[in-house]
Amino acid sequence: HGLDTSFRDQTTTMGDIHHFAWRAHYLNQTVYLNARDQAKVAHWPASECGTEECVEAHTRVDVRVDIAEFKALLDSRLPLVWAGTSVANAHIEWPPAKDVLEDAVIPV
């Protein structure tokens, strides 16, 4: 929790870099590369993952991306970027972080 918003804040500080986000919605969209990380922090809700250990563990993952959602995000934003639209005018709200229920999984 907070790592994604940290990246957002770093890129938006100067107001000259577009930063858009797609968020995973299901537990099995995150695949931990280290079994210890998965055993220790995978079940922690985003609202409780504020320690350095938890945040770092969440950087060592593969993510299964919903390609249709991601493509829709790019299709809606890239024409604005290519047209030279300012960061402020192309801005969209940051997707809210949600605590995901343990049974919220997508079929693989």
Side-chain angles (χ1 to χ4, degrees):
H1 177 67
L3 187 61
D4 57 341
T5 55
S6 173
F7 291 142
R8 178 203 58 202
D9 293 346
Q10 290 174 44
T11 60
T12 58
T13 298
M14 299 303 292
D16 61 348
I17 298 175
H18 294 276
H19 193 128
F20 309 111
W22 169 86
R23 275 205 165 127
H25 301 288
Y26 301 98
L27 291 177
N28 62 340
Q29 285 180 280
T30 302
V31 180
Y32 290 85
L33 304 178
N34 180 314
R36 181 184 178 281
D37 289 343
Q38 181 166 358
K40 185 156 187 174
V41 303
H43 62 282
W44 291 12
S47 61
E48 294 179 17
C49 183
T51 66
E52 181 178 349
E53 180 181 22
C54 184
V55 171
E56 287 296 318
H58 287 295
T59 66
R60 295 185 295 268
V61 298
D62 285 339
V63 178
R64 292 184 180 115
V65 176
D66 182 320
I67 297 298
E69 278 187 23
F70 189 70
K71 184 177 182 322
L73 173 65
L74 292 177
D75 288 347
S76 73
R77 300 291 98 193
L78 287 180
L80 298 172
V81 173
W82 292 326
T85 304
S86 72
V87 170
N89 287 337
H91 172 78
I92 56 174
E93 290 301 314
W94 196 253
K98 299 177 185 172
D99 287 340
V100 179
L101 300 175
E102 290 200 24
D103 61 351
V105 295
I106 56 171
V108 289

